[in-house]
Tab-separated table of all heavy atoms in Angstrom:
chain	number	residue	atom	x	y	z
A	6	ILE	N	3.422	-45.367	41.751
A	6	ILE	CA	4.613	-44.526	41.589
A	6	ILE	C	4.217	-43.056	41.605
A	6	ILE	O	4.836	-42.240	42.285
A	6	ILE	CB	5.369	-44.891	40.284
A	6	ILE	CG1	5.986	-46.291	40.408
A	6	ILE	CG2	6.437	-43.856	39.961
A	6	ILE	CD1	6.550	-46.839	39.119
A	7	GLN	N	3.156	-42.706	40.881
A	7	GLN	CA	2.705	-41.312	40.852
A	7	GLN	C	2.251	-40.852	42.241
A	7	GLN	O	2.497	-39.719	42.632
A	7	GLN	CB	1.579	-41.134	39.841
A	7	GLN	CG	2.070	-41.158	38.418
A	7	GLN	CD	0.944	-40.961	37.427
A	7	GLN	OE1	-0.231	-41.082	37.755
A	7	GLN	NE2	1.317	-40.671	36.191
A	8	ARG	N	1.575	-41.748	42.970
A	8	ARG	CA	1.117	-41.393	44.310
A	8	ARG	C	2.316	-41.137	45.224
A	8	ARG	O	2.319	-40.192	46.003
A	8	ARG	CB	0.214	-42.496	44.864
A	8	ARG	CG	-0.686	-42.035	45.961
A	8	ARG	CD	-1.799	-43.007	46.331
A	8	ARG	NE	-1.379	-44.378	46.505
A	8	ARG	CZ	-1.664	-45.375	45.654
A	8	ARG	NH1	-2.376	-45.168	44.582
A	8	ARG	NH2	-1.239	-46.600	45.882
A	9	LEU	N	3.350	-41.959	45.123
A	9	LEU	CA	4.551	-41.757	45.931
A	9	LEU	C	5.265	-40.469	45.542
A	9	LEU	O	5.776	-39.754	46.401
A	9	LEU	CB	5.512	-42.944	45.774
A	9	LEU	CG	5.124	-44.220	46.507
A	9	LEU	CD1	6.072	-45.350	46.121
A	9	LEU	CD2	5.131	-44.017	48.007
A	10	GLN	N	5.309	-40.154	44.256
A	10	GLN	CA	5.973	-38.940	43.799
A	10	GLN	C	5.210	-37.681	44.197
A	10	GLN	O	5.773	-36.605	44.222
A	10	GLN	CB	6.173	-38.975	42.286
A	10	GLN	CG	7.202	-39.994	41.860
A	10	GLN	CD	7.295	-40.105	40.352
A	10	GLN	OE1	6.362	-39.781	39.623
A	10	GLN	NE2	8.438	-40.591	39.876
A	11	SER	N	3.933	-37.836	44.485
A	11	SER	CA	3.132	-36.671	44.865
A	11	SER	C	3.148	-36.437	46.373
A	11	SER	O	2.442	-35.591	46.877
A	11	SER	CB	1.692	-36.832	44.383
A	11	SER	OG	1.044	-37.849	45.123
A	12	LYS	N	3.979	-37.206	47.087
A	12	LYS	CA	4.086	-37.039	48.530
A	12	LYS	C	5.446	-36.468	48.899
A	12	LYS	O	6.418	-36.637	48.186
A	12	LYS	CB	3.894	-38.389	49.243
A	12	LYS	CG	2.480	-38.892	49.180
A	12	LYS	CD	2.287	-40.058	50.097
A	12	LYS	CE	0.817	-40.395	50.106
A	12	LYS	NZ	0.390	-40.938	51.342
A	13	THR	N	5.445	-35.790	50.015
A	13	THR	CA	6.682	-35.252	50.553
A	13	THR	C	6.513	-35.156	52.061
A	13	THR	O	5.431	-35.402	52.585
A	13	THR	CB	7.018	-33.883	49.926
A	13	THR	OG1	8.339	-33.510	50.315
A	13	THR	CG2	6.031	-32.811	50.346
A	14	THR	N	7.568	-34.808	52.738
A	14	THR	CA	7.457	-34.665	54.192
A	14	THR	C	7.098	-33.226	54.545
A	14	THR	O	7.344	-32.302	53.769
A	14	THR	CB	8.786	-35.025	54.895
A	14	THR	OG1	9.786	-34.088	54.487
A	14	THR	CG2	9.224	-36.445	54.584
A	15	LEU	N	6.550	-33.061	55.714
A	15	LEU	CA	6.247	-31.715	56.197
A	15	LEU	C	7.527	-30.893	56.335
A	15	LEU	O	7.514	-29.688	56.121
A	15	LEU	CB	5.499	-31.777	57.528
A	15	LEU	CG	4.030	-32.145	57.415
A	15	LEU	CD1	3.435	-32.378	58.787
A	15	LEU	CD2	3.258	-31.068	56.681
A	16	LYS	N	8.628	-31.567	56.678
A	16	LYS	CA	9.901	-30.857	56.783
A	16	LYS	C	10.299	-30.254	55.440
A	16	LYS	O	10.747	-29.102	55.367
A	16	LYS	CB	10.988	-31.799	57.297
A	16	LYS	CG	12.305	-31.118	57.530
A	16	LYS	CD	13.322	-32.040	58.162
A	16	LYS	CE	14.575	-31.257	58.492
A	16	LYS	NZ	15.398	-31.918	59.473
A	17	GLU	N	10.120	-31.022	54.356
A	17	GLU	CA	10.441	-30.507	53.027
A	17	GLU	C	9.499	-29.369	52.637
A	17	GLU	O	9.916	-28.389	52.029
A	17	GLU	CB	10.387	-31.640	51.997
A	17	GLU	CG	11.521	-32.632	52.176
A	17	GLU	CD	11.325	-33.916	51.379
A	17	GLU	OE1	10.201	-34.180	50.896
A	17	GLU	OE2	12.299	-34.662	51.252
A	18	ILE	N	8.225	-29.505	52.984
A	18	ILE	CA	7.261	-28.438	52.704
A	18	ILE	C	7.640	-27.174	53.463
A	18	ILE	O	7.599	-26.074	52.916
A	18	ILE	CB	5.826	-28.898	53.029
A	18	ILE	CG1	5.356	-29.897	51.968
A	18	ILE	CG2	4.878	-27.709	53.135
A	18	ILE	CD1	4.030	-30.540	52.258
A	19	LEU	N	8.022	-27.329	54.725
A	19	LEU	CA	8.444	-26.164	55.509
A	19	LEU	C	9.678	-25.506	54.901
A	19	LEU	O	9.790	-24.283	54.897
A	19	LEU	CB	8.738	-26.557	56.958
A	19	LEU	CG	7.580	-26.477	57.932
A	19	LEU	CD1	7.996	-26.993	59.310
A	19	LEU	CD2	7.038	-25.074	58.047
A	20	ALA	N	10.583	-26.319	54.366
A	20	ALA	CA	11.790	-25.760	53.741
A	20	ALA	C	11.417	-24.923	52.516
A	20	ALA	O	11.946	-23.816	52.329
A	20	ALA	CB	12.757	-26.878	53.357
A	21	VAL	N	10.507	-25.417	51.682
A	21	VAL	CA	10.073	-24.665	50.509
A	21	VAL	C	9.332	-23.405	50.947
A	21	VAL	O	9.547	-22.319	50.405
A	21	VAL	CB	9.190	-25.536	49.582
A	21	VAL	CG1	8.549	-24.704	48.480
A	21	VAL	CG2	10.013	-26.661	48.977
A	22	ALA	N	8.450	-23.533	51.939
A	22	ALA	CA	7.689	-22.377	52.422
A	22	ALA	C	8.618	-21.327	53.029
A	22	ALA	O	8.406	-20.124	52.846
A	22	ALA	CB	6.642	-22.824	53.434
A	23	THR	N	9.645	-21.769	53.729
A	23	THR	CA	10.617	-20.848	54.314
A	23	THR	C	11.333	-20.075	53.207
A	23	THR	O	11.506	-18.858	53.292
A	23	THR	CB	11.627	-21.603	55.198
A	23	THR	OG1	10.913	-22.297	56.221
A	23	THR	CG2	12.625	-20.659	55.836
Side-chain angles (χ1 to χ4, degrees):
I6 292 170
Q7 286 181 344
R8 201 167 47 252
L9 285 173
Q10 290 175 337
S11 70
K12 289 191 173 211
T13 190
T14 64
L15 283 172
K16 184 175 186 161
E17 290 167 345
I18 287 173
L19 270 176
V21 171
T23 302

